[in-house]
């Protein structure tokens, strides 16, 4: 939702959505809907009302569904790409080209139609104001890496064992400790790969630190066995 708002350059009055778990957790038309608090908080912050499409009424959002079919039939076939970032760039380029063609239903290009709508959009806040709704938290391991979407990313070694927050923006992964930006990575789409931070371990030897498993507490158990002569055991066996 946030990416869509910034792509179109403004805030709408309402969102019309399906009944996905990221928006609604349960409920009914008679008892009311239990909205996902994360989405609900975002909508309240931006002053947007959430409207749920009626169940089993696909015509409510027919134009949206048709647009997806149009992209599948015209953009996707025989498409080649190297990774998700490349595919996203190609999709944006295709959208810009498609928006300059005259739409039969509109009698004008989508860009011309949008020019009539855009003045009604409300201005957007700074993107950083919405980080609170996009943050995901990760624990940094002893080796200075944390896992995100199947890829391990590095941070400066001194932040090992800390909890950081991460935000995805423009194909980049921003890593924060509290409100301090401590690392920026280009997103990787190669599963189980490791992305190092330049000079990730700089100064670690001078500091006398190490990266590795932290020693854990162990209970001491006395394993020494008392030594006796064999005669003691022989006497016990005779008296048994």
């Amino acid at each position: 939702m946030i990416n869509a708002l910034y792509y179109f350059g403004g805030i709408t009055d309402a969102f019309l959505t399906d009944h996905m778990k990221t928006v609604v957790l349960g409920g009914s038309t008679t008892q009311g809907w239990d909205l996902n608090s994360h989405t609900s908080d975002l909508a309240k912050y931006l002053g947007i009302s959430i409207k749920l499409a009626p169940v089993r009424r696909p015509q409510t959002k027919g134009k949206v569904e048709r647009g997806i079919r149009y992209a599948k039939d015209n953009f996707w076939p025989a498409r080649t790409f190297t990774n998700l970032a490349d595919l996203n760039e190609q999709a944006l380029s295709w959208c810009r080209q498609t928006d300059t063609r005259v739409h039969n239903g509109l009698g004008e290009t989508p860009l011309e139609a949008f020019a009539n709508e855009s003045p009604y959009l409300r201005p957007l806040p700074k993107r950083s104001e919405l980080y609170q709704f996009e943050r995901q938290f990760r624990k940094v391991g002893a080796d200075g890496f944390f896992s995100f979407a199947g890829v391990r990313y590095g941070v400066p070694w001194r932040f090992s064992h800390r909890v950081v927050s991460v935000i995805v923006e423009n194909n980049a992964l921003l890593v924060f400790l509290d409100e301090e930006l401590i690392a920026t990575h280009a997103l990787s789409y190669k599963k189980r790969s490791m992305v190092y931070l330049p000079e990730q371990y700089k100064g670690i030897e001078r500091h006398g630190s190490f990266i590795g498993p932290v020693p854990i507490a162990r209970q001491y158990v006395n394993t020494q066995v008392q030594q006796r002569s064999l005669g003691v055991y022989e006497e016990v066996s005779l008296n048994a």
Side-chain angles (χ1 to χ4, degrees), residues 129-148:
E129 290 186 27
L130 303 185
Y131 282 170
Q132 58 183 306
F133 302 103
E134 300 178 273
R135 291 182 189 270
Q136 299 184 45
F137 294 91
R138 294 292 187 273
K139 177 70 178 291
V140 180
D143 57 358
F145 285 86
F146 65 89
S147 180
F148 180 82

Side-chain angles (χ1 to χ4, degrees), residues 160-227:
S160 298
H161 307 290
R162 303 291 297 275
V163 175
V164 298
S165 60
V166 297
I167 298 164
V168 176
E169 183 178 349
N170 298 328
N171 290 318
L173 187 67
L174 310 182
V175 187
F176 294 84
L177 181 66
D178 297 327
E179 298 303 319
E180 178 188 1
L181 179 66
I182 62 174
T184 301
H185 291 282
L187 279 176
S188 173
Y189 302 98
K190 185 178 181 181
K191 297 296 184 181
R192 295 183 292 278
S193 62
M194 296 182 69
V195 181
Y196 285 84
L197 186 71
E199 300 185 337
Q200 182 172 336
Y201 299 118
K202 182 179 180 180
I204 191 170
E205 293 181 357
R206 182 173 64 253
H207 192 269
S209 299
F210 66 96
I211 295 294
V214 176
I216 61 175
R218 296 182 183 275
Q219 181 181 1
Y220 174 74
V221 178
N222 187 354
T223 57
Q224 293 182 346
V225 178
Q226 184 178 358
Q227 296 181 355

Side-chain angles (χ1 to χ4, degrees), residues 71 74-81 86-87 90-91 93-94 97:
N74 294 274
F75 168 73
W76 188 249
R79 180 71 52 174
T80 60
F81 56 95
D86 176 40
L87 182 62
Q90 292 188 47
S93 177
W94 177 80
Q97 294 175 6

Side-chain angles (χ1 to χ4, degrees), residues 7-213:
Y7 176 80
F8 289 109
I11 301 175
T12 60
D13 290 330
F15 274 138
L16 176 65
T17 81
D18 257 331
H19 293 238
M20 64 281 281
K21 291 294 185 182
T22 50
V23 176
V24 60
L25 301 178
S28 66
T29 53
T30 56
Q31 300 175 353
W33 298 101
D34 182 15
L35 295 179
N36 185 306
S37 61
H38 197 66
T39 301
S40 177
D41 290 344
L42 171 63
K44 290 177 181 178
Y45 187 86
L46 295 175
I48 296 174
S49 62
I50 301 292
K51 296 184 178 181
L52 299 175
V55 179
R56 292 183 291 276
R57 288 287 301 277
Q59 62 268 32
T60 304
K61 52 189 187 316
K63 290 184 178 180
V64 175
E65 300 289 351
R66 179 58 187 165
I68 296 173
R69 177 66 180 271
Y70 182 81
K72 287 183 176 180
D73 290 346
N74 294 274
F75 168 73
W76 188 249
R79 180 71 52 174
T80 60
F81 56 95
T82 56
N83 53 38
L84 184 58
D86 176 40
L87 182 62
N88 283 336
E89 287 298 326
Q90 292 188 47
L92 286 173
S93 177
W94 177 80
C95 285
R96 296 187 186 102
Q97 294 175 6
T98 304
D99 287 343
T100 61
R101 301 172 185 172
V102 175
H103 188 281
N104 292 333
L106 296 173
E108 57 184 346
T109 70
L111 284 179
E112 291 171 336
F114 181 68
N116 298 325
E117 299 285 345
S118 57
Y120 298 100
L121 296 176
R122 290 182 281 114
L124 284 160
K126 292 181 179 179
R127 185 64 183 260
S128 58
E129 290 186 27
L130 303 185
Y131 282 170
Q132 58 183 306
F133 302 103
E134 300 178 273
R135 291 182 189 270
Q136 299 184 45
F137 294 91
R138 294 292 187 273
K139 177 70 178 291
V140 180
D143 57 358
F145 285 86
F146 65 89
S147 180
F148 180 82
V151 178
R152 302 190 71 206
Y153 294 91
V155 299
W157 61 269
R158 62 186 181 276
F159 299 120
S160 298
H161 307 290
R162 303 291 297 275
V163 175
V164 298
S165 60
V166 297
I167 298 164
V168 176
E169 183 178 349
N170 298 328
N171 290 318
L173 187 67
L174 310 182
V175 187
F176 294 84
L177 181 66
D178 297 327
E179 298 303 319
E180 178 188 1
L181 179 66
I182 62 174
T184 301
H185 291 282
L187 279 176
S188 173
Y189 302 98
K190 185 178 181 181
K191 297 296 184 181
R192 295 183 292 278
S193 62
M194 296 182 69
V195 181
Y196 285 84
L197 186 71
E199 300 185 337
Q200 182 172 336
Y201 299 118
K202 182 179 180 180
I204 191 170
E205 293 181 357
R206 182 173 64 253
H207 192 269
S209 299
F210 66 96
I211 295 294

